[in-house]
Amino acid sequence: MIVLVTGGAGYIGSHACRALKNAGYEPVVFDNFENGYRENVKWGPFYEGDIRKPADIDGAMAKFKPDAVMHFAAYAYVGESVQKPEKYYLNNVVGSYNLLDAMQRHQVKKLVFSSSCATYGVPDQVPITESQAQQPVNPYGNTKLIMEMMMRDHSDAGKIDYAALRYFNAAGASVDGEIGEQHVPETHLIPLVLDAASGRRPDVTIYGNDYPTPDGTCIRDYIHVEDLADAHVRALRLLAGGRGHFAFNLGNGRGFSVLEIIAAVEKVTGRKVPYRFGPRRAGDPAILVGDSTLACAKLGWNPQHRQIDDIIFHAWNYHKKVWKLE
Ligand code: UFG
C-alpha cells in the first residue's frame, strides 16, 4: 500500500514515514522543504512539491498512484497565525482543499489528517473528550477546524473516508535518536528548555505565572512523537478496513506545568535551567489535557512512552546529537 505523506520531511511526518515503512507500507514524501529536512527523507521515494500548487499534487499522484494520504503539511505557529492569518488560510485551508480535490481526481479515498487540540480553543472542562465543542481561539486552530469540516462534508458525500487526529503537544524524538524536533525558529517549550540547559540560549522565558493552576504556569499534555506516529499507522488500518470517518484525541491524559517541565529537564539532563517569568502569551489556554480513551479503544492504541522523563530523555539525546554536545 502506497501512502502519500504531505509534510513527510517534517517533525511528526518523518516519524510517521518511519512507522509506515516498519509496518510494511510504502511512504512517498511530498514536501517543499520549507519546514522539513532532506535528511528526514529515508523511508521511501520523494516528490518535491507544494500543496498550494494543484499541479504539484497532481504530479505526485499521477507518478506514485497512492492508495491513501497522510496530510501533515501545514504552518503551525499559533502566534504567527494571529499576525499573518492569510498565510495560514492559504497553506492550511486552500492547500488542504487542493489535496481533497486532487484525491477525487485520482480516486484516492483514504485520508489521515494531522489536526490539533487547538480546534477546541479554551475547553469547558479537562480532560477534553472528542465530543466537546470545537471553538478555536486563534487562526491556526480555525484552519485545522475548517479542514475537519471540509473532510466531514466530503465524507458525507461519499467521496472520502478519513481520520482526524487531534494531537496535544507532540514532544520527544525517536528512541534511537535518528530523527527529532528541529524547528526554525523554535517556539516549543521542551526544545527551548533543552537549549537553556545546554547553554545554547541564556535562559527560557515562562509565559505567565498567574494562571489558575497549582503553580501558576500553563499545563499541557505532552505526547511522544513515536506514539503519535504509531496512532497514524493504526488509523490507516482502521480506514482500510471499511468506510467511515473518525476523530481521535491523541494525548497522554496527564498534564505538566511549565515549571514541572523545567524541573524534569533539570533532573534528566543533570543541568540547571535558567529561567525568568514574562507576560502571558496571547491565545494560551491555562490547561489543555486530552482524554484519548476513544483512540485507545478504536485503534488499539497504547502509548509506550508515557513518562515525561522518557519523553525528555529522548529529546535530550537528539538535542545532543544535533548540536554535537559532549
Ligand atoms: N511556553 C513558555 N515559554 C516558551 C515557550 C512556551 O512558557 O518559551 C509555554 C506556553 O505558554 C505553553 C507551553 O509552554 O503553556 C507549551 O507551549 P508550546 O509552544 O510548546 O506548545 P503550545 O501548547 O502552544 O502548542 C501546541 C502545539 C500547537 C497547537 C497548540 C494548541 O504545538 O500546534 O498546542 O494550543 F496549536
Side-chain angles (χ1 to χ4, degrees), residues 127-155:
I128 303 168
T129 59
E130 289 83 355
S131 56
Q132 241 170 274
Q134 288 178 289
Q135 295 165 331
V137 292
N138 51 58
Y140 167 72
N142 284 334
T143 63
K144 289 285 175 180
L145 181 56
I146 291 170
M147 177 54 171
E148 285 204 18
M149 290 164 145
M150 289 198 294
M151 290 192 300
R152 178 67 187 261
D153 290 339
H154 282 67
S155 177

Side-chain angles (χ1 to χ4, degrees), residues 3-318:
V3 185
L4 187 73
V5 184
T6 75
Y11 172 45
I12 306 172
S14 60
H15 283 85
C17 286
R18 197 167 108 136
L20 282 168
K21 187 71 183 174
N22 288 338
Y25 297 92
E26 165 107 317
V28 176
V29 171
F30 180 96
D31 207 297
N32 63 0
F33 291 134
E34 192 179 333
N35 291 310
Y37 294 92
R38 202 168 283 272
E39 59 267 28
N40 281 350
V41 183
K42 43 180 149 182
W43 293 283
F46 172 66
Y47 192 95
E48 186 157 0
D50 191 314
I51 53 169
R52 286 164 293 200
K53 298 179 184 158
D56 287 2
I57 309 173
D58 273 329
M61 288 196 173
K63 181 166 179 193
F64 293 103
K65 304 195 170 27
D67 303 287
V69 172
M70 279 192 189
H71 179 31
F72 296 91
Y75 291 135
Y77 292 130
V78 172
E80 184 188 54
S81 79
V82 177
Q83 305 301 324
K84 300 179 184 170
E86 66 287 349
K87 179 174 170 179
Y88 281 69
Y89 282 96
L90 181 59
N91 198 36
N92 299 5
V93 176
V94 178
S96 295
Y97 168 82
N98 290 339
L99 188 64
L100 285 173
D101 202 33
M103 286 176 67
Q104 288 178 68
R105 277 197 297 285
H106 295 268
Q107 276 104 46
V108 185
K109 290 192 177 296
K110 310 287 180 186
L111 174 61
V112 179
F113 174 59
S114 172
S115 190
S116 171
C117 63
T119 60
Y120 294 112
V122 180
D124 297 333
Q125 58 184 57
V126 286
I128 303 168
T129 59
E130 289 83 355
S131 56
Q132 241 170 274
Q134 288 178 289
Q135 295 165 331
V137 292
N138 51 58
Y140 167 72
N142 284 334
T143 63
K144 289 285 175 180
L145 181 56
I146 291 170
M147 177 54 171
E148 285 204 18
M149 290 164 145
M150 289 198 294
M151 290 192 300
R152 178 67 187 261
D153 290 339
H154 282 67
S155 177
D156 286 347
K159 294 171 191 292
I160 59 163
D161 304 310
Y162 74 86
L165 304 183
R166 299 175 187 155
Y167 320 150
F168 284 71
N169 288 52
S174 59
V175 173
D176 60 8
E178 187 174 15
I179 44 177
E181 186 168 16
Q182 220 183 325
H183 296 110
V184 181
E186 189 52 76
T187 64
H188 291 117
L189 181 67
I190 292 177
L192 290 175
V193 175
L194 293 177
D195 279 346
S198 66
R200 291 194 64 254
R201 61 173 53 239
D203 57 19
V204 62
T205 301
I206 297 177
Y207 298 140
N209 60 345
D210 59 350
Y211 282 98
T213 60
D215 66 21
T217 66
C218 282
I219 292 177
R220 292 289 180 273
D221 178 338
Y222 296 88
I223 178 77
H224 197 290
V225 66
E226 281 201 349
D227 286 323
L228 281 184
D230 173 53
H232 286 72
V233 175
R234 290 170 184 275
L236 196 59
R237 279 200 204 110
L238 177 70
L239 294 179
R243 304 270 355 255
H245 60 79
F246 307 89
F248 297 118
N249 287 341
L250 298 179
N252 237 327
R254 184 154 172 224
F256 291 90
S257 73
V258 177
L259 280 170
E260 285 174 325
I261 293 295
I262 290 175
V265 167
E266 289 187 334
K267 182 173 145 211
V268 169
T269 65
R271 299 176 182 221
K272 271 318 267 178
V273 174
Y275 66 84
R276 56 198 161 97
F277 293 112
R280 289 183 177 197
R281 185 173 67 177
D284 268 347
I287 305 178
L288 287 175
V289 176
D291 179 335
S292 305
T293 309
L294 194 63
C296 295
K298 280 264 187 190
L299 299 175
W301 188 54
N302 181 19
Q304 297 299 298
H305 310 289
R306 286 184 178 272
Q307 302 300 323
I308 195 67
D309 288 0
D310 292 343
I311 293 173
I312 290 171
F313 180 68
H314 298 142
W316 176 236
N317 279 344
Y318 181 73

